[in-house]
Amino acid sequence: MIEEDVMTLPLSGELDVGTQAATSARIARALDTAPRFLVLDLRDVDFLGSAGLSVLIETQRAAAARNISIGLVATRRATLLPLELTGLTTMFPVFASPEEAARSARAQREQAGVVPGVGADMRQ
């Protein structure tokens, strides 16, 4: 789902070594669309293993190289606990819903003076 320049990518099931390649490919396709802000919705993820955490770290690196911000939606223990234990909550903003993530992205954009869809800094 894309709202202005915020794209939400829902992920589900287990994010582990068995799904690592497919998940990475889905995220890469999302990054190829060049949203300003990509929200990975983890609400339907039942298990977040070390391979899934690696996918998130690699996603952050790839997004940073393209000047794309990443946010996570995580509300369940299955995703929040691994993120907290590994310190990844300091690398990613974590939101309770895609709507909250989109509001945050809009607020950051407005604070920076960026016009949606244009990507130009309008401050003088």
Side-chain angles (χ1 to χ4, degrees):
M1 177 173 83
I2 299 176
E3 178 185 321
E4 293 178 19
D5 51 1
V6 177
M7 178 181 205
T8 299
L9 181 64
L11 301 173
S12 61
E14 297 180 353
L15 297 185
D16 58 13
V17 70
T19 61
Q20 184 175 13
T23 302
S24 292
R26 282 190 67 209
I27 293 171
R29 285 191 301 274
L31 290 173
D32 286 344
T33 68
R36 275 194 187 282
F37 194 77
L38 176 61
V39 179
L40 301 178
D41 186 349
L42 307 177
R43 290 178 297 173
D44 290 330
V45 170
D46 300 318
F47 177 77
L48 181 57
S50 60
L53 294 167
S54 293
V55 167
L56 296 179
I57 293 167
E58 288 303 317
T59 297
Q60 178 62 29
R61 290 181 183 148
R66 298 175 184 199
N67 202 29
I68 298 171
S69 297
I70 300 287
L72 305 177
V73 174
T75 57
R76 298 174 54 205
R77 181 175 172 84
T79 51
L80 283 173
L81 187 61
L83 292 170
E84 290 169 353
L85 290 175
T86 58
L88 290 181
T89 54
T90 62
M91 179 183 264
F92 297 97
V94 179
F95 303 97
S97 70
E99 295 78 19
E100 180 185 353
R103 279 192 302 273
S104 176
R106 279 193 299 273
Q108 288 175 358
R109 186 176 56 233
E110 289 168 4
Q111 187 177 35
V114 175
V115 175
V118 175
D121 188 342
M122 298 304 289
R123 294 176 290 179
Q124 295 189 6

